């Protein structure tokens, strides 16, 4: 994540929280929930407002959040009632633990394409045998900077599937959907399973 992107989420934490916290995550989280056993431990990487943490908790899972913005981390923890660790996906020690499920929703859009293979490999290694991963990316080509100076990186479906397979992930389901925020973005959502014997 670029410095400008990080600054946006820290400085605009309250506005981002208010814009996203009441969006219903059921349509994209249900496939992950259905693929997990009751009581599964789930790491929500880039948990933002804490909306998805609360959904996971209310659906019988044991979630833990990771959020690079201290301001958003505080809001997420208060909203969800779940523990939230301040940190970044590329450096966090939480991926040294084992998780039944990992959620990476709307986070990899800020990560350069060249960094994705290593990140997915590290995430795969943090899943238990048969563990599940949900990840979403924006559909498109190349990268762009928006009016808030946030840098976004876009993916074609087949290209992302190929990178995930190389990281030791087996595709269980995939969805393509319009943004719940009412803009022109199209999101690709994937539920993966860690392949038997895969070390990430």
């Amino acid at each position: 994540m670029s410095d400008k992107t990080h600054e946006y989420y820290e400085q605009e934490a309250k506005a981002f929280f208010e814009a996203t916290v009441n969006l219903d995550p059921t349509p994209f989280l249900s496939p992950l929930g259905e693929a997990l056993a009751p009581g599964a431990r789930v790491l929500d990487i880039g948990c933002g407002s804490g909306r998805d943490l609360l959904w996971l908790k209310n659906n019988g899972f044991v979630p833990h959040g990771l959020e690079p913005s201290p301001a958003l981390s505080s809001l997420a923890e208060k909203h969800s009632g779940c523990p939230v660790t301040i940190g970044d996906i590329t450096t966090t020690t939480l991926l040294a633990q084992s998780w039944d499920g990992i959620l990476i929703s709307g986070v990899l859009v800020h990560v350069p394409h060249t960094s994705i293979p290593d990140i997915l490999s590290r995430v795969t290694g943090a899943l238990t045998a048969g563990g599940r991963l949900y990840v979403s990316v924006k559909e498109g080509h190349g990268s762009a900077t928006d009016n808030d100076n946030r840098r976004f990186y876009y993916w074609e479906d087949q290209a992302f599937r190929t990178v995930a397979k190389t990281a030791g992930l087996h595709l269980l389901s995939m969805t393509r959907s319009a943004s719940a925020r009412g803009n022109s973005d199209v999101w690709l959502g994937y539920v993966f399973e860690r392949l038997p014997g895969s070390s990430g």
Side-chain angles (χ1 to χ4, degrees):
M1 182 185 295
S2 69
D3 290 342
K4 291 287 187 181
T5 302
H6 186 275
E7 287 173 11
Y8 168 84
Y9 288 108
E10 182 63 14
Q11 295 171 2
E12 302 296 328
K14 185 176 180 181
F16 181 81
F17 175 88
E18 292 174 349
T20 59
V21 71
N22 292 317
L23 299 175
D24 182 11
T26 301
F28 71 86
L29 285 183
S30 288
L32 174 64
E34 293 166 2
L36 292 169
R41 295 177 65 250
V42 183
L43 177 63
D44 182 358
I45 296 176
C47 62
S49 66
R51 175 198 66 203
D52 299 348
L53 288 172
L54 182 59
W55 188 95
L56 290 164
K57 184 175 76 171
N58 288 342
N59 282 274
F61 305 111
V62 183
H64 187 116
L66 176 72
E67 172 55 48
S69 162
L72 266 178
S73 173
S74 178
L75 291 169
E77 195 165 71
K78 183 177 180 180
H79 175 70
S80 66
C82 300
V84 177
T85 298
I86 299 171
D88 183 83
I89 188 173
T90 60
T91 57
T92 181
T93 58
L94 288 175
L95 290 177
Q97 302 179 28
S98 292
W99 302 90
D100 304 308
I102 295 178
L103 170 65
I104 315 177
S105 176
V107 174
L108 299 186
V109 292
H110 298 307
V111 178
H113 298 107
T114 54
S115 299
I116 298 299
D118 285 344
I119 287 176
L120 287 182
S121 181
R122 189 164 177 239
V123 167
T124 301
L127 288 168
T128 56
R132 305 300 204 257
L133 166 69
Y134 175 86
V135 58
S136 62
V137 294
K138 287 187 180 183
E139 184 178 50
H141 307 275
S143 63
T145 300
D146 71 1
N147 293 333
D148 295 311
N149 288 316
R150 292 181 298 172
R151 190 72 175 171
F152 288 92
Y153 298 85
Y154 301 93
W155 283 89
E156 295 179 353
D157 174 38
Q158 192 56 54
F160 194 81
R161 291 181 187 224
T162 298
V163 172
K165 184 177 182 180
T166 301
L169 295 164
H170 169 67
L171 181 64
L172 297 177
S173 66
M174 179 267 184
T175 58
R176 183 178 184 274
S177 58
S179 172
R181 299 183 69 178
N183 56 35
S184 62
D185 293 333
V186 175
W187 287 90
L188 305 175
Y190 303 88
V191 177
F192 294 105
E193 177 183 14
R194 176 176 173 170
L195 288 170
S198 173
S199 60

